[in-house]
Amino acid sequence: MSGAATLLRDVFGFDAFRPGQEEIIHTVATGCNTLAIMPTGGGKSLCFQIPALMREGVTVVISPLIALMRDQVRALRAAGVEAGALTSGNTEEETTEVWQALEAGRLRLLYIAPERLAAGSSLGMLRRIGVGLIAVDEAHCVSQWGHDFRPDYLRIGELRRALNVPLAAFTATADAETRDEIVEKLFDGQPPQTFLQGFDRPNIHMAFAAKDNPRAQIMAFAAARKGQSGIVYCGTRAKTETLARALLDAGHSACAYHGGMEAEARRIVEGRFSSEDGLIVVATVAFGMGVDKPDIRWVAHADLPKSIEGYYQEIGRAGRDGAPAETLTLFGPDDIRLRRTQIDEGLAPPERRMADHGRLNALLGLAEALECRRATLLRYFGEQATPCGNCDLCDTPPETFDGTEAVRKALSAILRTGESFGSGHLIDILTGTATDKVRQRGHEALPTFGVGRDMDKRGWQGVFRQMMGHDLIRPDRERHGALVMTETARPILRGEEGVTLRRDTIDHTPRPAVRALVSDEDAPLLSALKAKRRALAEAAGVPAYIVFNDRTLIEMAETRPETLDQMARISGVGAKKLERFGAEFLEVITGAREPVHPTRRKLAGSTAGEVYDRLMQAQADLNRGETGIDRPLSCSSALLAKVASQRPRTAQEMQRLLGEKYADRFGAAFLAALHLQE
């Protein structure tokens, strides 16, 4: 069986493993139970796809979404790997084709949804087909602590015990509680070989902005990236539809996606997003888990996510090809109030609610950070990082001020009004605005009335939002959302601690310069390569990235290969794709199709291809013999390929391979050409 590095190069077209991949692949391939926590876009799929080609038997891949399974199967087939999926979305013909491949022993990877494990016939079927390995994608779904819990994942542990085969589990986000539950549910508490590969995605630019006409902020962000694939996450179904319409009206290709849509309508959106360049999907979190489209160039949040893990998972859908990607997250006091209320009104036990508040606090700390976002995010996941230079705070360090006095004034107003009011009324008191509500309650007589006149209303809104972000105050659901002080705030109120705040930048949405994928000189060629990709993808009925992803096209545009051998060295161009698409893209780059014989095309990128070229030249020189007057004679392309691959070392070996007639004319010259390789 081929080694991992050979499969990586020849099948998937990559010259080197990403960090951690090789060790994980070796562990899985040797039959060890494995848990791998890898960053989104870190190459998790290859960590079970390559072992599947190294091991005997069928590898069963349990994955949460039909769209994801179908995309991975198409990508594997495009790379020449026999793979199939048994899903509720299959046509009768597709299901028959999968069964035929299983019965014939051709199928190497079988994708199934966890819900299929509920069927009584599934275990018998899996025993019959000879499963050698179980791979679990999005393994955090097994955990009650995870943000995408799926009850059917709980059956996977039973399946592993019944089949008595190794199991490899993969996820991008799993904190300590989630990891412990994965080990308990999937591995019966017996710790597997565990890999924690880090969470950094350095190609993703992170930015946050306080809400100020959020629709206009999102529209401006999308306008600067027109023609690029993106996702906008919204907190409500209604908002996805209104924002999608606004984007359509502004000339974007856009559509909505949420859990209230019919299943067929959701499938249509998933299919469009996979296949169309430049489509924007405006969605709730129902869209995204398992999204494997590698060339999503940006992700925006029109509302604050539920937790820091959810934020990380959602922005991680951008830039999975490693090329530059951008994100923007909008947030405001209403978001914070909503998220707190959702946690408090949930049915989870008290310890879970406390943990959920902690996860929200971590996200709010990231939103209100005063230093590098990436360093703040990675610290939450237990990693250290220096300032990244690729976030809004590194681009433009925020202006800060000692907010201790302002916070103490705000806390005093909250306490003197009995912790019974929201920020709007409290700001009126602080700024000395005698509204009817203030006068009716006699609050103009409070010592705190007017003590905050040195700051305008917008400035105080920023202070209250940051106080909520630092968990100094929280909305109380028992008092209809009135703000109450937390224990965290008491040392500040007593003068024992200080607090630094940002000058509120509510009137400025960060707009990092759109990062060009290639130089101005290479941009026209990249556009032409994308057009060719789109045409080939439409003809084959597959998503564009199944042909080649953006990063591969970028490398083509920058290096401009002139031969198929040079094309074979481009990252992402495996042997099967080179044979199928190489000449088409070479024609775009060079302006003329290279006349390459199919036999030679199969050798492209290998040393045998270079030897074949020398043999062809030697044959051309001797086509009419050494004198140039003999009868023309030439070997077939298949025979030359055999010589190039087998490389006979003696005249006798050459004669056995060529036959006497061809050996007499070409034998010595062919041996000389072969020796040049040594």
Side-chain angles (χ1 to χ4, degrees):
M1 191 65 70
S2 298
T6 302
L7 291 167
L8 182 75
R9 169 66 261 178
D10 293 349
V11 177
F12 298 100
F14 300 110
D15 288 323
F17 291 103
R18 294 185 184 181
Q21 273 186 326
E22 189 167 17
E23 189 179 359
I24 295 170
I25 288 169
H26 173 75
T27 303
V28 175
T30 53
C32 296
N33 286 333
T34 306
L35 170 60
I37 296 96
M38 304 174 71
T40 50
K44 295 192 299 295
S45 299
L46 285 181
C47 290
F48 57 81
Q49 290 171 349
I50 289 178
L53 302 181
M54 299 172 68
R55 292 177 56 82
E56 297 297 324
V58 178
T59 291
V60 169
V61 183
I62 298 171
S63 184
L65 286 182
I66 291 174
L68 171 65
M69 290 189 273
R70 295 177 78 89
D71 284 352
Q72 291 206 1
V73 167
R74 284 188 289 197
L76 285 165
R77 287 178 174 173
V81 177
E82 287 275 4
L86 291 175
T87 77
S88 58
N90 280 22
T91 64
E92 187 176 333
E93 292 76 13
E94 287 171 335
T95 298
T96 300
E97 183 183 346
V98 171
W99 279 114
Q100 289 174 344
L102 283 169
E103 298 295 341
R106 296 194 314 270
L107 209 69
R108 306 310 306 274
L109 292 103
L110 174 66
Y111 285 75
I112 63 173
E115 288 76 13
R116 193 177 186 92
L117 300 180
S121 59
S122 292
L123 180 58
M125 177 271 287
L126 294 174
R127 278 187 169 137
R128 192 171 72 254
I129 65 174
V131 175
L133 172 69
I134 299 171
V136 181
D137 204 3
E138 309 288 356
H140 63 272
C141 294
V142 79
S143 172
Q144 299 276 0
W145 292 95
H147 54 280
D148 291 314
F149 176 61
R150 296 276 286 266
D152 290 290
Y153 266 69
L154 299 175
R155 296 189 178 92
I156 298 173
E158 301 170 15
L159 178 67
R160 181 187 63 81
R161 290 191 294 273
L163 296 178
N164 193 27
V165 296
L167 185 147
F170 300 87
T171 183
T173 51
D175 56 19
E177 296 99 334
T178 304
R179 289 200 294 272
D180 289 345
E181 194 165 356
I182 290 172
V183 171
E184 181 63 36
K185 295 294 196 304
L186 296 186
F187 302 101
D188 294 331
Q190 298 299 311
Q193 290 286 329
T194 301
F195 298 87
L196 186 58
Q197 284 308 125
F199 295 89
D200 194 12
R201 291 286 305 282
N203 62 310
I204 296 180
H205 185 281
M206 293 188 290
F208 281 72
K211 285 186 176 180
D212 181 27
N213 191 349
R215 178 183 292 189
Q217 290 171 291
I218 293 293
M219 296 295 289
F221 193 77
R225 290 148 189 85
K226 193 163 187 177
Q228 297 181 0
S229 297
I231 303 174
V232 180
Y233 283 109
C234 299
T236 66
R237 295 173 177 180
K239 189 180 287 188
T240 66
E241 295 176 354
T242 57
L243 190 50
R245 277 196 296 272
L247 287 164
L248 277 169
D249 291 343
H252 296 276
S253 177
C255 55
Y257 184 103
H258 56 72
M261 295 166 57
E262 294 292 332
E264 179 60 25
R266 293 200 304 272
R267 278 196 291 271
I268 290 171
V269 173
E270 290 165 1
R272 286 187 62 192
F273 192 61
S274 290
S275 60
E276 288 185 28
D277 283 335
L279 181 67
I280 301 171
V281 173
V282 187
T284 61
V285 291
F287 180 79
M289 186 177 66
V291 168
D292 203 30
K293 183 179 172 69
D295 56 351
I296 300 169
R297 295 271 64 88
W298 58 271
V299 169
H301 284 92
D303 300 297
L304 188 74
K306 291 182 178 179
S307 68
I308 196 164
E309 287 89 356
Y311 168 79
Y312 175 80
Q313 187 90 354
E314 287 149 23
I315 67 165
R317 282 153 195 155
R320 295 173 83 111
D321 56 3
E326 296 172 275
T327 67
L328 172 66
T329 301
L330 302 181
F331 68 105
D334 288 343
D335 290 309
I336 302 171
R337 191 175 294 110
L338 172 65
R339 295 308 187 198
R340 293 281 188 215
T341 302
Q342 287 175 333
I343 294 170
D344 289 334
E345 293 182 350
L347 301 177
E351 67 273 13
R352 173 64 187 268
R353 290 203 298 272
M354 188 179 300
D356 286 343
H357 276 300
R359 289 179 168 91
L360 178 59
N361 284 348
L363 178 60
L364 295 171
L366 179 63
E368 300 289 7
L370 302 177
E371 59 173 25
C372 172
R373 303 260 188 220
R374 196 175 316 279
T376 303
L377 178 65
L378 292 178
R379 268 199 306 273
Y380 173 80
F381 288 116
E383 296 181 26
Q384 295 301 313
T386 55
C388 68
N390 194 30
C391 72
D392 57 337
L393 297 181
C394 286
D395 295 340
T396 308
E399 182 185 351
T400 62
F401 69 102
D402 183 350
T404 307
E405 184 180 353
V407 168
R408 292 179 70 185
K409 289 177 180 177
L411 291 173
S412 177
I414 289 171
L415 294 175
R416 288 182 184 277
T417 54
E419 297 181 303
S420 300
F421 297 93
S423 60
H425 183 69
L426 295 167
I427 290 171
D428 287 337
I429 293 171
L430 289 164
T431 56
T433 306
T435 64
D436 290 343
K437 185 175 178 181
V438 168
R439 285 193 295 268
Q440 285 168 5
R441 287 162 176 77
H443 288 165
E444 76 276 17
L446 292 173
T448 48
F449 184 78
V451 297
R453 286 194 178 99
D454 58 329
M455 199 183 309
D456 64 12
K457 182 176 180 179
R458 175 163 284 188
W460 276 111
Q461 287 171 338
V463 169
F464 274 92
R465 194 198 66 248
Q466 291 183 70
M467 289 172 68
M468 292 174 75
H470 291 299
D471 202 24
L472 304 178
I473 54 177
R474 285 188 184 182
D476 185 352
R477 67 189 182 99
E478 300 294 336
R479 306 186 191 193
H480 308 290
L483 295 174
V484 299
M485 186 175 74
T486 68
E487 288 299 316
T488 312
R490 293 195 182 280
I492 298 172
L493 186 65
R494 293 193 294 258
E496 297 168 359
E497 292 181 6
V499 60
T500 300
L501 300 179
R502 287 183 299 148
R503 293 283 179 201
D504 205 351
T505 54
I506 198 163
D507 59 346
H508 172 65
T509 298
R511 293 185 180 87
V514 180
R515 283 149 174 77
L517 298 179
V518 294
S519 67
D520 290 344
E521 180 185 354
D522 294 330
L525 177 55
L526 179 60
S527 295
L529 291 170
K530 284 188 172 183
K532 171 58 71 174
R533 177 180 66 177
R534 190 180 310 115
L536 291 171
E538 288 174 357
V542 299
Y545 66 83
I546 296 292
V547 178
F548 290 124
N549 66 32
D550 277 3
R551 196 171 191 178
T552 298
L553 296 190
I554 289 167
E555 191 174 339
M556 287 184 194
E558 291 176 341
T559 60
R560 301 183 181 234
E562 297 180 355
T563 66
L564 284 176
D565 290 323
Q566 293 175 4
M567 177 76 77
R569 291 193 280 271
I570 300 290
S571 179
V573 182
K576 185 77 174 179
K577 288 190 178 182
L578 182 71
E579 181 182 351
R580 187 174 178 186
F581 304 121
E584 300 259 21
F585 284 88
L586 203 62
E587 181 180 6
V588 174
I589 296 167
T590 64
R593 181 180 294 276
E594 180 184 305
V596 179
H597 192 281
T599 302
R600 173 61 178 88
R601 190 177 301 146
K602 290 179 180 178
L603 300 176
S606 66
T607 53
E610 298 172 11
V611 174
Y612 180 97
D613 292 340
R614 288 201 296 275
L615 295 173
M616 282 288 288
Q617 185 59 52
Q619 176 174 266
D621 293 342
L622 293 171
N623 179 254
R624 287 183 172 273
E626 293 184 3
T627 62
I629 60 174
D630 294 339
R631 185 176 178 180
L633 185 68
S634 60
C635 302
S636 68
S637 296
L639 186 55
L640 287 181
K642 189 179 291 187
V643 174
S645 299
Q646 296 185 11
R647 302 185 194 184
R649 303 183 63 84
T650 67
Q652 290 78 15
E653 290 176 359
M654 183 68 77
Q655 183 168 333
R656 280 198 296 272
L657 192 59
L658 293 179
E660 185 175 349
K661 179 174 67 170
Y662 293 107
D664 284 347
R665 181 170 295 189
F666 303 118
F670 283 2
L671 283 172
L674 291 172
H675 290 156
L676 286 174
Q677 184 67 23
E678 298 177 354

